């Protein structure tokens, strides 16, 4: 129960001490704080604490204006979140000193004590213990308090290291340690013991797979995000998700949400700490839960997202269909769109580019009606490829054990430094432990070097999409259609107009596909023609297999 003296300070103005007047001077306003974890403690009963504090105030000539207590309240587990203490801290402008029986009654942690000292000192309020020589109303007491603050910081750092180490240990065992729950997973009791673990959330996993399929099918992030929001699919920040982790109240999908989700290696079942995967002793990421995506799909997804993030290859929704496909027959430069009289046209700007570089060419800037040319190229493309199946080329990462070999060699060097430079592994037992660890690392290095000699090289694998070119063309947006054209090696040469007219003169257009188109584009853009040929050979071989 909280008691308050009849003398109230609520209406009194703040009496700031004049410079040079000590806090121990008579007439200062004091608040007494009493705390007891259990009522059964007789040696520090609330009555005794209060009596000692009142005796100190009387001896110093201080006026007691409030008394607050926290009974059956732990100072360690509750920290500063104690009702009585909070009431005192809320009225600091009306006080000059806070009196307590012993420091452990005010705070059981030096971190909490340092925080209380910081708050009161900022308000010009002193702290005083009724039974200890530590008196923060004196210069010596404040100096000692600063030493306590240093140790408080050390204790805080030590606690942080212990907590971090404990969390990493639990994560390595596959346990959930709190915080944000990765999308696609949910928190469940640990079936193998204490604590909780993460398991795949079937509904969210289906959402992830659907998103990945659409991204690999060239749908834009903006379109996918808009469709998910419209369909009411809970986003990673949706408040309706039943998890114990902290979440925002966002109920919409954004392109940043999608990119953050799709680049999170936790989809592979990896365990993340401080933004990085926890590594096993062999240097590989620790996988302690069921993956949502397999490695091949993950790599294809990252390649697609990287391609879109590249300014030179970014596919913006609503961009022109034949950008990068249509080239001028006179100079070989790409043709770009512009609007004339409300209609989209393509034109060559090669002459302008050359002029900017101080060169001159004969091209005068060929132009052509955009919609009519796009319709013609679409018809030619679907005629040639419409019935053929679409395959996705997945680049298979080759095996490379060199980073693991380097990591093992560094661990071996550190082990040698521990024994010979730092003087660790002393005595017979230490020598045995050193020899065992050294032998284990040497064995691992030898094993990795043997794997490196027989490492599987990188390659490209064709994965069927289950759709024909015509089906995917119908479902794709402008960027997706353009990707289909480019993957088919489409190259369009636009010649100068021979005569005027409203209708498109198709004789101006030379449409090339496959190897012929790839070679022409590589040559026009100054790229390695042989590399373009190799890429097209792989693509056509994959198409033939399916």
């Amino acid at each position: 129960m909280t008691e308050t003296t009849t003398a109230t300070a609520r209406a009194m103005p703040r009496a700031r001490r004049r410079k040079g007047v000590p806090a121990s001077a008579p007439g200062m306003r004091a608040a007494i704080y009493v705390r007891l974890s259990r009522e059964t403690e007789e040696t520090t009963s609330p009555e005794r604490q209060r009596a000692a504090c009142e005796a100190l105030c009387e001896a110093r000539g201080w006026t007691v204006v409030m008394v607050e207590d926290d009974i059956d309240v732990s100072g360690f587990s509750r920290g500063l979140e104690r009702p009585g203490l909070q009431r005192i801290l809320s009225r600091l402008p009306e006080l000059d000193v806070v009196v307590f029986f012993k420091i452990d009654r005010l705070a059981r942690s030096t971190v909490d004590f340092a925080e209380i000292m910081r708050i009161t000192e900022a308000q010009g309020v002193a702290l005083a213990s009724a039974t200890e020589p530590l008196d923060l109303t004196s210069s010596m007491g404040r100096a000692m308090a600063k030493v306590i603050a240093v140790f408080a910081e050390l204790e805080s750092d030590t606690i942080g290291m212990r907590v971090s180490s404990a969390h990493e240990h639990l994560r390595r065992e596959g346990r959930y340690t709190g915080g944000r729950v990765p999308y696609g997973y949910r928190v469940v009791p640990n079936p193998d013991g204490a604590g909780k673990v993460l398991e795949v959330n079937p509904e969210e996993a289906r959402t992830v797979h659907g998103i990945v399929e659409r991204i690999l099918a060239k749908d834009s992030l903006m379109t996918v995000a808009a469709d998910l929001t419209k369909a009411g699919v809970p986003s990673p920040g949706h408040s309706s998700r039943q998890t114990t982790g902290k979440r925002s109240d966002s109920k919409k999908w954004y392109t940043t949400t999608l990119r953050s989700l799709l680049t999170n290696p936790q989809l592979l079942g990896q365990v993340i700490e401080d933004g990085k995967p926890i590594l096993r002793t062999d240097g590989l990421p620790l996988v302690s839960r069921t993956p949502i995506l397999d490695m091949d799909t993950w790599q294809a997804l990252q390649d697609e997202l990287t391609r879109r993030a590249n300014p030179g290859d970014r596919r913006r929704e609503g961009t022109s269909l034949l950008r990068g496909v249509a080239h001028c027959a006179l100079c070989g430069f790409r043709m770009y769109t512009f609007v004339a009289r409300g209609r989209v046209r393509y034109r060559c700007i090669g002459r302008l580019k050359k002029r900017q570089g101080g060169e001159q060419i004969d091209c005068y800037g060929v132009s052509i009606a955009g919609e009519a040319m796009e319709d013609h190229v679409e018809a030619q493309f679907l005629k040639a490829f419409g019935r053929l199946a679409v395959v996705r080329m997945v680049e298979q990462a080759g095996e490379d054990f060199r980073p693991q070999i380097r990591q093992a060699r560094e661990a071996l060097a550190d082990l040698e430094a521990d024994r010979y430079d730092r003087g660790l592994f002393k005595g017979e037992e230490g020598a045995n432990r050193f020899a065992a660890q050294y032998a284990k690392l040497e064995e691992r290095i030898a094993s990795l070097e043997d794997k490196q000699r027989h490492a599987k090289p990188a390659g490209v694998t064709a994965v069927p999409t289950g759709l024909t070119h015509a089906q995917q063309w119908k479902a794709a947006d402008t960027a997706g259609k353009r990707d289909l054209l480019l993957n088919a090696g489409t190259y369009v040469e636009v010649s100068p107009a021979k005569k005027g007219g409203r209708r498109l003169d198709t004789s101006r257009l030379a449409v090339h596909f496959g190897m012929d188109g790839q070679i022409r584009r590589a040559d026009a853009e100054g790229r390695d023609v042989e590399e373009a040929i190799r890429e097209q050979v792989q693509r056509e071989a994959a198409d033939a297999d399916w």
Side-chain angles (χ1 to χ4, degrees):
M1 181 176 178
T2 301
E3 295 184 22
T4 307
T5 62
T6 55
T8 176
R10 190 173 300 278
M12 294 176 63
R14 181 73 169 100
R16 295 292 180 183
R17 294 190 298 274
R18 299 187 303 276
K19 186 175 182 180
V21 177
S24 57
M28 308 310 292
R29 294 170 298 180
I32 294 178
Y33 177 69
V34 176
R35 186 188 65 79
L36 195 65
S37 297
R38 297 188 305 274
E39 280 280 15
T40 56
E41 297 183 29
E42 297 295 339
T43 56
T44 56
S45 65
E47 293 75 15
R48 186 183 176 195
Q49 291 185 42
R50 176 171 178 173
C53 293
E54 289 177 341
L56 175 66
C57 293
E58 184 178 355
R60 296 287 180 88
W62 297 338
T63 301
V64 178
V65 297
M66 64 183 299
V67 176
E68 295 289 349
D69 57 31
D70 285 313
I71 308 302
D72 285 332
V73 176
S74 170
F76 183 79
S77 61
R78 296 288 295 273
L80 270 61
E81 297 302 320
R82 290 171 263 158
L85 177 61
Q86 287 298 319
R87 284 192 290 270
I88 289 178
L89 296 180
S90 68
R91 295 181 60 182
L92 287 180
E94 304 168 9
L95 303 174
D96 296 296
V97 60
V98 177
V99 184
F100 44 89
F101 184 70
K102 293 176 61 177
I103 288 180
D104 66 356
R105 298 300 90 194
L106 183 65
R108 294 299 297 267
S109 164
T110 51
V111 176
D112 290 342
F113 180 71
E115 179 64 11
I116 293 173
M117 185 181 67
R118 184 190 66 80
I119 294 172
T120 55
E121 192 176 56
Q123 293 286 338
V125 177
L127 299 175
S129 172
T131 60
E132 297 167 321
L134 180 60
D135 184 353
L136 299 185
T137 65
S138 66
S139 299
M140 181 60 70
R142 287 192 293 273
M144 293 181 65
K146 295 185 185 298
V147 175
I148 290 178
V150 173
F151 282 97
E153 183 177 358
L154 175 61
E155 179 185 358
S156 178
D157 292 342
T158 304
I159 292 174
M161 292 176 62
R162 288 201 301 268
V163 171
S164 178
S165 178
H167 280 189
E168 181 176 352
H169 173 72
L170 292 175
R171 290 189 184 101
R172 287 185 179 276
E173 291 186 341
R175 301 263 293 276
Y176 169 66
T177 59
R180 186 176 292 275
V181 178
Y183 191 84
Y185 292 92
R186 62 187 177 191
V187 182
V188 297
N190 184 8
D192 300 322
K196 298 181 179 180
V197 296
L198 296 179
E199 71 172 10
V200 173
N201 184 323
E203 184 177 347
E204 292 183 357
R206 285 193 294 271
T207 298
V208 172
H209 285 290
I211 293 171
V212 172
E213 289 176 2
R214 292 190 61 180
I215 297 302
L216 294 179
K218 309 303 181 182
D219 281 1
S220 68
L221 292 174
M222 185 179 298
T223 301
V224 174
D227 290 346
L228 290 170
T229 300
K230 184 177 180 180
V233 178
S235 70
H238 200 296
S239 58
S240 67
R241 296 188 67 219
Q242 300 300 315
T243 67
T244 58
K246 294 181 179 179
R247 298 205 167 270
S248 67
D249 199 32
S250 171
K251 298 183 179 181
K252 292 185 178 181
W253 289 83
Y254 302 94
T255 55
T256 52
T257 306
L258 283 175
R259 189 172 289 277
S260 176
L261 168 63
L262 299 177
T263 56
N264 190 344
Q266 293 189 92
L267 294 176
L268 294 172
Q270 296 181 11
V271 184
I272 305 300
E273 182 175 294
D274 295 331
K276 297 180 180 179
I278 294 179
L279 302 180
R280 303 183 317 200
T281 55
D282 59 3
L284 296 177
L286 173 67
V287 177
S288 64
R289 60 182 72 107
T290 304
I292 294 178
L293 299 179
D294 60 79
M295 184 57 70
D296 290 344
T297 303
W298 168 264
Q299 291 177 347
L301 176 63
Q302 302 314 303
D303 290 343
E304 175 63 20
L305 293 174
T306 300
R307 181 189 67 78
R308 297 186 186 201
N310 188 333
D313 295 328
R314 184 176 295 132
R315 304 291 187 253
R316 296 188 303 276
E317 184 177 5
T319 188
S320 55
L321 176 65
L322 300 182
R323 184 174 180 181
V325 176
H327 289 69
C328 175
L330 295 181
C331 64
F333 271 87
R334 290 184 178 186
M335 300 185 71
Y336 296 85
T337 55
F338 71 102
V339 178
R341 296 180 181 178
R343 295 181 179 273
V344 176
R345 296 183 64 86
Y346 286 79
R347 68 177 174 186
C348 172
I349 60 172
R351 183 177 183 181
L352 175 61
K353 287 191 173 183
K354 286 294 185 178
R355 184 187 303 166
Q356 292 174 344
E359 303 179 46
Q360 295 291 333
I361 58 175
D362 294 333
C363 181
Y364 57 84
V366 175
S367 70
I368 191 171
E371 184 178 353
M373 180 172 66
E374 290 175 354
D375 290 344
H376 176 75
V377 173
E378 176 183 348
Q380 296 295 312
F381 171 78
L382 293 177
K383 180 180 179 181
F385 294 91
R387 297 182 179 180
L388 299 180
V390 177
V391 296
R392 175 167 51 86
M393 306 303 295
V394 178
E395 185 175 351
Q396 302 287 346
E399 295 179 327
D400 186 4
F401 299 94
R402 288 173 295 182
Q404 298 175 46
I405 294 173
R406 182 173 62 253
Q407 184 185 46
R409 289 190 180 280
E410 290 173 352
L412 192 64
D414 288 340
L415 187 65
E416 292 175 342
D418 284 343
R419 176 171 172 81
Y420 299 113
D421 298 340
R422 305 183 183 98
L424 304 180
F425 297 100
K426 294 180 178 180
E428 183 177 353
E429 182 181 353
N432 291 336
R433 287 191 292 110
F434 172 80
Q437 292 184 33
Y438 198 93
K440 186 176 180 180
L441 283 171
E442 281 193 321
E443 181 181 353
R444 172 158 178 73
I445 291 173
S447 174
L448 290 171
E449 289 179 338
D450 182 66
K451 289 181 179 180
Q452 183 62 32
R453 285 191 291 270
H454 301 88
K456 180 179 67 175
V460 178
T461 302
V463 178
T465 63
L467 299 174
T468 64
H469 281 76
Q471 291 171 330
Q472 186 150 337
W473 181 277
K474 183 177 180 180
D477 57 10
T478 302
K481 291 177 179 179
R482 182 172 63 176
D483 283 333
L484 287 174
L485 292 174
L486 292 173
N487 291 335
T490 310
Y491 180 85
V492 179
E493 286 183 330
V494 182
S495 300
K498 300 176 181 178
K499 57 182 180 179
R502 291 182 175 273
R503 299 186 62 181
L504 174 69
D505 180 6
T506 56
S507 66
R508 298 179 56 191
L509 303 177
V511 184
H512 306 272
F513 297 112
M515 184 74 71
D516 184 26
Q518 290 284 19
I519 293 175
R520 290 174 181 272
R521 184 187 303 115
D523 182 58
E525 297 177 355
R527 294 187 289 111
D528 186 349
V529 174
E530 293 184 358
E531 180 64 25
I533 293 175
R534 286 193 293 269
E535 292 177 357
Q536 189 61 29
V537 168
Q538 289 180 332
R539 187 175 290 107
E540 291 182 354
D543 289 340
D545 291 338
W546 296 101

